[in-house]
Amino acid sequence: MNEWHGPILACHELSKFYAVGDGLFALSNVELEVERGQFVVIMGPSGSGKSTLLNILGGIDRPTHGEVLLNGRKYSRMSEDDLAVMRRRELGIVFQFFNLLPELTAAENIGMPMRLARMDERDIMSRVMHLLEVTGLTARANHYPVELSGGEQQRVAIARALAPRPSIVLADEPTGNLDSKMSQEVMKLFKRFNQEEGQTFVVVTHEDGFLDYADTLIRLSDGEIVERKVLNAKK
Amino acid sequence: MPKSRALLPQAERLRPALSWSMARLMSKRRLRREIGAAAVVALSVALTVAASMAVVCMVSQNGDAAAREVATPSLPAGAIIIFDSAEEAVSALEEAEGFEGIANLRRFPWANADTRLGPLFVLGALASVERGTLLCGPALAEEAGEGSSLEVWDADTGSLLGTWTVRSTGEYLPEGEYPEGWAWVSTDSLGHENLSGIAFDVTGDPSVVLSRVIKLSRSYPGAKVFMDGFTRHIVRKAALRAYLPWQAVSVMVALTAASAVSCVLAVSFLGRKRALGILKVIGATRPDLRRLVLAECWYLGYAGIPVGLVIGFALCKLGLSAPVPAAAFPASAVMGALALAGGALLPLRLTRNATCDQLLNNKAIYAFSNPSCAQCGLCGGF
């Protein structure tokens, strides 16, 4: 169905300028390419532009200059609705603070992106059941987010991001709000989906533990890529 | 580089992907969770509906009768008839067959006047005639005695209502020369044994005509008001003018309620910017968010409108002792719905203009999208 054979995600000459004070370049001429099935980890000190980059890659924010392409399609100048439609089909996003919909149960949260993508209700149910099982949340399916622990909420958020089988999952500090045990669980979950389902991941993190699973490490500093390291190349 | 293009056809993007059932489910749970804010909005809607019903009842009680009777074709007992000219009145009364059966003026002893002459007294008060003066035509004045005092008794209770002074209007004046608010009582009519109504030749300002008709209607609860031609036209215009203050009150009530609803809905919207941002992140488009806001309004109306109808009915019946016309129910419900719709305009506008970044990162949203404003961020926003 997808005939694009180039990098699944790419950005060229990406810059983001904030007109505050004397002006600040959060990102400066960032060049990035992510191949299908890759596990890319982006690291860097606070304020280095990691989250800004991820927000732009996810279509949440827009670059001041440069272009972002997903499956060869430019999207950094798309309308808000086109971006939303693209996210519902192509992108899964995991946040540090889970960002679950408080009025929906765990199962409904996971199913929501698929409902927005107008998938068949039977497919939605079977996918939700599968993801609940994989994430170990079957018993918590009908619980609301406030009734779940931080680790459980993050697992629901990951399952939600993976539910519509997106081309790529972007994660912004997914373990930043979890204790070490929960962080391990989340990392294992990412590894499992990357290795078993070939899911592409771009993870912004401070957690060194992710390096064990990553194919590529990108280190940012002051909005520029200062290190690009292949850790575990895949075919 | 490949060109950017829309992912879906325009029609597909405009069609919400969020089903009504899911939107309603989410709204219901959210309202239940934030029951305080929901109750305030529902109460605003209910009060709008109740106030609208009170207004409708007041309009109905005060002026609707006149306009309603304009189109009545027959001449039942107790009719009050308004003609464009004295000649028309006389000839119509002489020829009309409808003036039969009821003889409420048949027993017409001046010293024991039928209290239904009350309207004449009222009319006298309306015009530049002293209260307590009975205006009548020259023949009638001669019969009663010009300048004589008349004790007026209530025919039903037998109690003394007061003493009136009989005053003749003098010779009939040509049409258009009667003083403002003056009413001519046809002596021929009053002398008619089988008379069932009173004929007036009304001149002057249309609004005076209307107020006179309204007062006559009140004094003659069972009476019908008839008029023809030009009179009908001016009464209609006067009715419209008389309703304007009430319509203005209705609009003010609706606007006040709409602004109250708008404030609460906007605060509610701003309180869940993040949740709406999450929805956008996972693929909700503007039509989806709009549907969510509308579903919430639907629930608030569902709760507020019936409560408002009950409050309004109780207010009219117990507080104002006014009859509640059937039309008051749908009219008030529509007013409540309009207030709700008006109140939803701002949240809908904000929903339309909000970007994912603004919602998710709690940045200001602008009701009127102006890129330069959004850039500097110093000129307000929500």
Side-chain angles (χ1 to χ4, degrees):
Chain A
M1 204 166 125
N2 193 339
E3 294 171 2
W4 179 252
H5 298 296
I8 195 165
L9 181 72
C11 57
H12 302 293
E13 298 174 356
L14 202 66
S15 296
K16 179 69 181 179
F17 180 76
Y18 288 109
V20 287
D22 295 334
L24 170 73
F25 272 100
L27 290 174
S28 182
N29 284 322
V30 172
E31 295 279 343
L32 178 69
E33 287 191 351
V34 179
E35 299 295 336
R36 195 173 300 277
Q38 256 194 327
F39 195 122
V40 177
V41 167
I42 300 174
M43 299 183 99
S46 293
S48 59
K50 305 185 298 292
S51 295
T52 305
L53 175 60
L54 207 77
N55 279 346
I56 292 174
L57 294 180
I60 295 169
D61 204 353
R62 291 173 190 271
T64 313
H65 178 73
E67 196 50 79
V68 188
L69 295 96
L70 181 68
N71 283 323
R73 193 197 310 264
K74 284 160 64 170
Y75 67 84
S76 46
R77 302 282 182 266
M78 276 182 181
S79 74
E80 276 292 310
D81 283 348
D82 279 335
L83 281 172
V85 171
M86 182 202 68
R87 278 193 296 266
R88 89 168 54 138
R89 295 178 166 199
E90 310 268 359
L91 275 172
I93 302 180
V94 180
F95 296 92
Q96 179 179 353
F97 294 103
F98 324 131
N99 281 348
L100 298 178
L101 293 163
E103 56 265 30
L104 297 183
T105 63
E108 287 165 346
N109 260 292
I110 295 169
M112 181 54 89
M114 294 184 281
R115 292 199 167 88
L116 290 173
R118 297 191 172 96
M119 286 172 65
D120 182 71
E121 194 60 30
R122 273 180 300 184
D123 293 344
I124 293 173
M125 290 314 295
S126 67
R127 179 74 173 154
V128 167
M129 295 313 293
H130 169 69
L131 287 167
L132 282 169
E133 194 183 328
V134 170
T135 52
L137 290 167
T138 307
R140 312 288 266 166
N142 294 321
H143 287 241
Y144 290 96
V146 288
E147 299 163 349
L148 301 174
S149 69
E152 288 171 330
Q153 286 190 54
Q154 192 59 300
R155 278 185 278 160
V156 173
I158 292 167
R160 184 181 67 186
L162 291 161
R165 296 187 177 84
S167 301
I168 189 165
V169 172
L170 307 174
D172 187 6
E173 307 258 15
T175 57
N177 208 30
L178 303 176
D179 60 31
S180 57
K181 188 180 166 217
M182 288 298 166
S183 297
Q184 283 296 326
E185 279 187 33
V186 167
M187 282 188 270
K188 280 180 190 163
L189 211 53
F190 275 75
K191 179 190 171 187
R192 179 171 177 178
F193 279 101
N194 177 241
Q195 293 184 345
E196 292 180 9
E197 295 192 10
Q199 180 68 59
T200 312
F201 283 96
V202 174
V203 181
V204 163
T205 184
H206 283 111
E207 188 85 50
D208 289 335
F210 270 112
L211 295 177
D212 296 339
Y213 313 120
D215 306 312
T216 304
L217 166 68
I218 288 170
R219 206 173 285 278
L220 277 177
S221 180
D222 294 330
E224 294 180 13
I225 294 178
V226 293
E227 184 185 358
R228 206 183 296 259
K229 193 171 173 185
V230 177
L231 301 172
N232 177 26
K234 283 181 183 171
K235 282 188 180 177
Chain B
M1 259 191 221
K3 282 190 176 178
S4 171
R5 59 186 169 82
L7 291 173
L8 289 172
Q10 178 78 355
E12 182 74 3
R13 271 182 289 131
L14 292 176
R15 192 164 63 90
L18 190 70
S19 65
W20 267 116
S21 58
M22 182 52 84
R24 286 211 305 269
L25 178 78
M26 290 174 75
S27 299
K28 192 162 77 176
R29 287 180 185 168
R30 203 186 83 78
L31 292 174
R32 206 177 287 165
R33 203 156 46 85
E34 295 174 11
I35 191 74
V40 170
V41 182
L43 190 64
S44 296
V45 175
L47 291 179
T48 309
V49 172
S52 302
M53 185 175 273
V55 168
V56 170
C57 290
M58 294 304 287
V59 169
S60 170
Q61 192 182 30
N62 285 281
D64 210 31
R68 199 170 54 236
E69 298 302 341
V70 165
T72 308
S74 61
L75 298 176
I80 300 167
I81 309 154
I82 300 175
F83 292 96
D84 291 338
S85 68
E87 291 72 23
E88 273 185 38
V90 172
S91 68
L93 287 170
E94 282 173 353
E95 293 170 12
E97 293 180 358
F99 290 94
E100 287 180 1
I102 303 297
N104 55 36
L105 298 175
R106 190 163 45 185
R107 304 172 291 102
F108 196 74
W110 280 107
N112 190 15
D114 194 298
T115 53
R116 297 186 201 196
L117 278 173
L120 293 178
F121 175 70
V122 172
L123 289 172
L126 276 172
S128 55
V129 176
E130 287 177 19
R131 291 180 70 86
T133 300
L134 177 65
L135 278 172
C136 50
L140 206 57
E142 191 179 342
E143 184 188 333
E146 171 78 31
S148 62
S149 296
L150 291 174
E151 285 184 347
V152 182
W153 298 82
D154 188 318
D156 298 326
T157 64
S159 58
L160 180 65
L161 292 174
T163 307
W164 293 354
T165 304
V166 176
R167 189 177 140 197
S168 169
T169 58
E171 293 304 314
Y172 297 150
L173 296 171
E175 188 179 345
E177 291 185 18
Y178 294 108
E180 177 80 7
W182 189 85
W184 171 68
V185 182
S186 164
T187 50
D188 289 344
S189 309
L190 289 173
H192 197 291
E193 285 211 335
N194 292 321
L195 179 68
S196 63
I198 305 171
F200 293 101
D201 173 21
V202 181
T203 60
D205 186 83
S207 60
V208 176
V209 175
L210 180 75
S211 61
R212 195 174 295 155
V213 170
I214 290 168
K215 286 179 184 294
L216 284 170
S217 304
R218 281 185 187 162
S219 301
Y220 280 77
K224 303 283 180 185
V225 180
F226 297 92
M227 58 200 76
D228 290 317
F230 179 69
T231 313
R232 179 182 300 195
H233 173 68
I234 58 170
V235 168
R236 273 188 178 150
K237 274 176 67 180
L240 198 65
R241 205 181 303 169
Y243 293 157
L244 274 178
W246 294 104
Q247 287 165 340
V249 169
S250 308
V251 170
M252 287 300 292
V253 166
L255 285 179
T256 309
S259 59
V261 170
S262 182
C263 283
V264 182
L265 285 180
V267 168
S268 162
F269 169 84
L270 297 175
R272 57 176 177 144
K273 267 173 152 180
R274 194 167 185 82
L276 295 173
I278 297 165
L279 268 170
K280 282 200 105 173
V281 164
I282 60 175
T285 54
R286 288 179 300 182
D288 294 317
L289 300 190
R290 188 163 58 227
R291 179 166 279 188
L292 208 56
V293 173
L294 290 176
E296 199 170 304
C297 289
W298 187 86
Y299 269 110
L300 292 168
Y302 187 75
I305 290 174
V307 171
L309 289 176
V310 172
I311 294 174
F313 185 75
L315 185 71
C316 292
K317 278 288 179 193
L318 306 176
L320 304 173
S321 302
V324 183
F329 289 92
S332 310
V334 166
M335 284 295 279
L338 284 178
L340 202 50
L345 285 179
L346 179 60
L348 285 174
R349 181 81 192 173
L350 295 177
T351 303
R352 182 179 177 275
N353 285 353
T355 66
C356 199
D357 182 41
Q358 286 169 328
L359 289 169
L360 211 55
N361 297 313
N362 200 25
K363 293 181 182 172
I365 302 168
Y366 296 85
F368 300 96
S369 48
N370 181 341
S372 61
C373 287
Q375 284 294 318
C376 77
L378 296 175
C379 52
F382 290 83

